Structures are given as structure tokens and as C-alpha cells.
Amino acid sequence: MALSGVRVLELAGLAPAPLCGMILADFGAQVVRVDRTPRSAVATDVQGRGKRSLALDLKRPPGAAVLRRLCCQADVLIEPFRHGVMEKLGLGPEVLLQENPRLIYARLTGFGQSGQYAKSAGHDINYLALSGVLSKLGRKDENPYAPANLLADFAGGGVLCALGVVTALYERTKSGKGQIIDASMVEGAAYLSSFLWKSQNLGLWNRPRGENLLDSGAPFYETYKTSDGKFMAVGAIEPQFYEQLIKGLGLDSDKLPSQLSFSDWPKMKEKFASIFAQKTQAEWCSIFDGTDACVTPVLSFDEVASHQHNKQRSSFIKNDQEEISPRPAPLLSRTPAVPSFKRDPFIGEHTEEILLEYGFTKQEIAKLYSDKVIEFSEPKANL
Ligand SMILES: C[C@H](CCC[C@@H](C)[C@H]1CC[C@H]2[C@@H]3[C@H](O)C[C@@H]4C[C@H](O)CC[C@]4(C)[C@H]3C[C@H](O)[C@]12C)C(=O)SCCNC(=O)CCNC(=O)[C@H](O)C(C)(C)COP(=O)(O)OP(=O)(O)OC[C@H]1O[C@@H](n2cnc3c(N)ncnc32)[C@H](O)[C@@H]1OP(=O)(O)O
């Protein structure tokens, strides 16, 4: 796999850093999640695929020393705390990079390492708000709407941080040097919205929220309810595709207002809605599948893996526990990701194995264990 041989330490965090670690693991990196002790301070990482878990108390000086030793041999550290936490533990980048100049120290935060909010708590919705993106999301006359925690946490956070890590790893092959990655989710979400910024002169966003072409203003870029309570998604933007939509709906474009007549959009939406409400989702699929009308079913999580297209591409996978999840993307032709099919690790499940692998002796491990600096998922394991 593309990242095999890359050693990653991921300090356990909420949602974005675990995705970053999972992506790197899917593509072959050896990812160790450093979990907290005592175990009651549960980290609910549901993105532990392909990772191993080491339970380590970083608040105790011997625990921080263990992490320093691990970092000397690691390629990447993913850190998910707000600014100042690692410095307080004596584990800031100036310390760790001095000990291992090749280390890539990825700091994945909401507000970044500087600025007046750097030390403030926050979540996806706050980062999205500060990025400007949230102001663009939502329907006409409604409050801004955050689409789950997809945009800041995952797209602008976990995914862009993984891109930063891979870019820094590539650069290191030339310079031999590591570096610090300041991955702010505010900036990640803003960066994702570059198209929105750069398309302002095209007139795409001149109207209030929810009244534009791509933000639920247009009748041809909308979802519609079907007679069986399901939905269809319509994205017929270009005139030639719009024409196919009109045909599929059984309408005559000569008798309709022009596609881009803004003032007619609300009326056209009502018309499309009343037509979509007359057939089931399956009936609409049989009309639109195989056309260029850009009309697709809105699938639920229960339906998505068994849809023919997704089945043909094996886009969803089932692990040993029969849990279905998306296959890693994108597909690399020679060295594709090979996700683990095993269950996610228990906290502390691999503590001993990892420490041995990183050069700790059995005696050192036993001492750390008796001092309660580390934990095992089975406390009496092997010692
Ligand atoms: C919208 C999403 C968030 C979704 C999260 C949900 C998935 C979950 C949130 C609550 C969960 C539920 C809840 O826990 C109750 C149930 C528990 C049960 O077990 C399961 C079901 C639950 C219902 C459970 C279900 C779900 O899991 C939840 C609903 C997001 O936006 S995530 C993005 C968040 N932002 C960031 O990641 C940006 C950077 N980070 C931060 O800004 C802060 O970390 C953050 C997130 C604000 C949290 O602040 P906090 O004060 O808690 O932490 P920090 O200041 O960063 O400091 C960390 C402290 O921990 C110490 N520490 C760390 N590792 C170790 C270690 N190995 N050993 C010892 N100590 C450690 C560290 O030293 C810091 O200590 P200090 O505070 O003393 O400096």
C-alpha cells in the first residue's frame, strides 16, 4: 500500500483526528492511537479501523517521556488538542522536533495555533460559522444550517490534515526534514469554499441564501418527494440536461418559462414537486436511469450498499462484524487502500506489543504498568 512503512502516532481525540488517522491507516500507514488512562475517560472513536491502541497517561512525567521516546521513531504525530495543551505537557513541537527533526507534527484544531480563539473550545458548527461557509448554507428564509459535522470536522479537518501529512511526507523525501502542520478547521472549511469565493463574479451567489442556483433556489437543483415518501435529487443545470429533465417529467419546454427566469423558480418548484409526488422513487428511477437528466434517487444508509451502481463498484465494504461502511476513496490503480476488516481496537489492547516494537524492554513495560502510567485491555496480559 502507498503508505506502508509510515509510522503514525495519533493522540485520541473527538471526530476529525480519528478520521485523519483512519485515512492514513487505510492507505497502509501503521497507526497507533494513544488513548487516555484511566480507561473510564472513554474516547469514543468509531473510526479506529486499522489502528492499534496504546493506553498511556500523558499527564504523568514518565508517560510524557514514553511519548517522547515513541516520537523519536515515528514519522507522524497527529495532535487533536487546543493550542497550549501539548506545550503544558512538555510535548510541544519545539521539544519533539528537536529530538526527531524528521517528525511531521500535525496539529489539528478548530481555530489554529494562533489568533484570539486559539485556546477556545468549539465544534464543527463554530468553525464553519467563522469560516463564512455557514452563512451560505440553508434554505430561503430559514436560519443557516450546518449539514451534520461533515464540512469542518471531516472535509476541512480530517481530510485536509491527511493531505497536509502526505504532502509533508513527500517533501521530506527531498529535504530529509519534518515540519509542523497547523491544520485549522476554520481555514480548512474556508479553503474548501474557494469555488464559492472565486465564482462570485459569475453571479452565482448574488441573491439571498436559499435563492441561488446551487443553494436550493433553483427548481432544477433540488430534492423532491415521491409518492412512496422517498426522494429524488435533481441536478439538471446545463440546458441540454435540463431539457431531458423536462422530457422525463412529461412537460413541454415551449410551454414553460425559460430555465433561468429567477422570478418563475418558486412556481416551477411547485410544479416539479406536484409531478414527482405522482410516482414512486422506483418509477422515477426507471424513467431517468440511463438518461442525462441528472436525476438520481436519494438513498438511505440501508439502501446504499445494495444499489446496483455501488454494488458494481464495490463501493461499500462489510467488516468481520458485518458492519457496512464506505470503502476508502480514491482508488489508486497500483496501490489501492486495503482497509482492515477487523474490529476496532479496545483501548490499551496493543500497549505491550507497541512498546516492545518501539524498543521498550519487558522490565520497563512492567514498571510503567505497576506505576499506572500505561494500561492493557486485559490488565494481567503477559506480565
Ligand atoms: C461535533 C463534533 C463533536 C462530536 C463528538 C461526539 C461524537 C461526542 C461528544 C460527546 C460524546 C458523548 C458523551 O461523551 C456522553 C456519552 C459517552 C459514552 O461513552 C458514549 C456515548 C456518549 C453519548 C458520547 C457519544 C459521542 O462520542 C459524543 C456525542 C466536533 O466538532 S469534534 C471537533 C472538536 N474540536 C477539535 O477537535 C478541535 C481541537 N480540540 C479542541 O478544541 C478541544 O480538544 C475540545 C474538542 C474543545 C475539547 O476540549 P477539552 O477541554 O476536553 O480538551 P483539550 O483542551 O483539548 O485538552 C485535552 C486534555 O486531555 C488531556 N489528555 C489528553 N490525552 C491524554 C492522555 N493520554 N493522558 C492524560 N491526559 C490526556 C490533556 O492533557 C488535556 O488536559 P488539560 O485540560 O488538563 O490541559
Side-chain angles (χ1 to χ4, degrees), residues 168-219:
L169 281 168
Y170 176 67
E171 192 281 338
R172 197 183 68 171
T173 62
K174 295 179 276 185
S175 67
K177 292 182 186 156
Q179 53 185 311
I180 304 160
I181 298 173
D182 178 356
S184 138
M185 291 187 249
V186 173
E187 290 163 5
Y191 188 39
L192 286 179
S193 74
S194 296
F195 172 81
L196 273 66
W197 285 90
K198 293 190 170 278
S199 62
Q200 289 188 96
N201 293 339
L202 300 180
L204 283 179
W205 313 105
N206 290 351
R207 298 158 63 79
R209 182 176 58 246
E211 296 183 40
N212 297 284
L213 186 88
L214 299 177
D215 68 355
S216 78

Side-chain angles (χ1 to χ4, degrees), residues 14-16 35-36 44 56-59 80-82 85 88-89 108-110 120-124 127 149 153 185:
L14 280 183
D35 284 304
R36 299 181 194 206
T44 45
L56 177 64
D57 186 352
L58 293 176
K59 285 246 170 104
F81 311 128
R82 54 180 128 180
V85 168
K88 216 161 64 184
L89 295 168
L108 178 47
T109 63
S120 304
H123 290 105
D124 172 276
Y127 314 142
N149 58 332
D153 274 2
M185 291 187 249

Side-chain angles (χ1 to χ4, degrees), residues 225-231:
K225 199 167 190 173
T226 56
S227 63
D228 53 348
K230 297 186 173 188
F231 293 90

Side-chain angles (χ1 to χ4, degrees), residues 60-201:
R60 313 263 305 281
V66 168
L67 190 76
R68 283 171 66 166
R69 243 173 103 178
L70 296 173
C71 283
C72 285
Q73 296 174 60
D75 298 292
V76 179
L77 174 70
I78 305 170
E79 181 248 313
F81 311 128
R82 54 180 128 180
H83 176 71
V85 168
M86 289 296 272
E87 283 77 0
K88 216 161 64 184
L89 295 168
L91 295 167
E94 67 296 340
V95 176
L96 299 185
L97 275 159
Q98 189 172 6
E99 291 172 354
N100 175 7
R102 288 175 58 80
L103 183 69
I104 290 156
Y105 192 128
R107 315 196 79 175
L108 178 47
T109 63
F111 298 113
Q113 299 300 319
S114 54
Q116 72 178 75
Y117 287 169
K119 292 196 174 179
S120 304
H123 290 105
D124 172 276
I125 194 168
N126 308 113
Y127 314 142
L128 205 55
L130 209 65
S131 75
V133 175
L134 189 53
S135 74
K136 296 284 183 196
L137 305 179
R139 290 189 172 272
K140 183 178 160 136
D141 298 330
E142 289 181 10
N143 292 358
Y145 169 75
N149 58 332
L150 286 170
L151 290 180
D153 274 2
F154 297 119
V159 173
L160 284 191
C161 188
L163 174 67
V165 166
V166 172
T167 307
L169 281 168
Y170 176 67
E171 192 281 338
R172 197 183 68 171
T173 62
K174 295 179 276 185
S175 67
K177 292 182 186 156
Q179 53 185 311
I180 304 160
I181 298 173
D182 178 356
S184 138
M185 291 187 249
V186 173
E187 290 163 5
Y191 188 39
L192 286 179
S193 74
S194 296
F195 172 81
L196 273 66
W197 285 90
K198 293 190 170 278
S199 62
Q200 289 188 96
N201 293 339

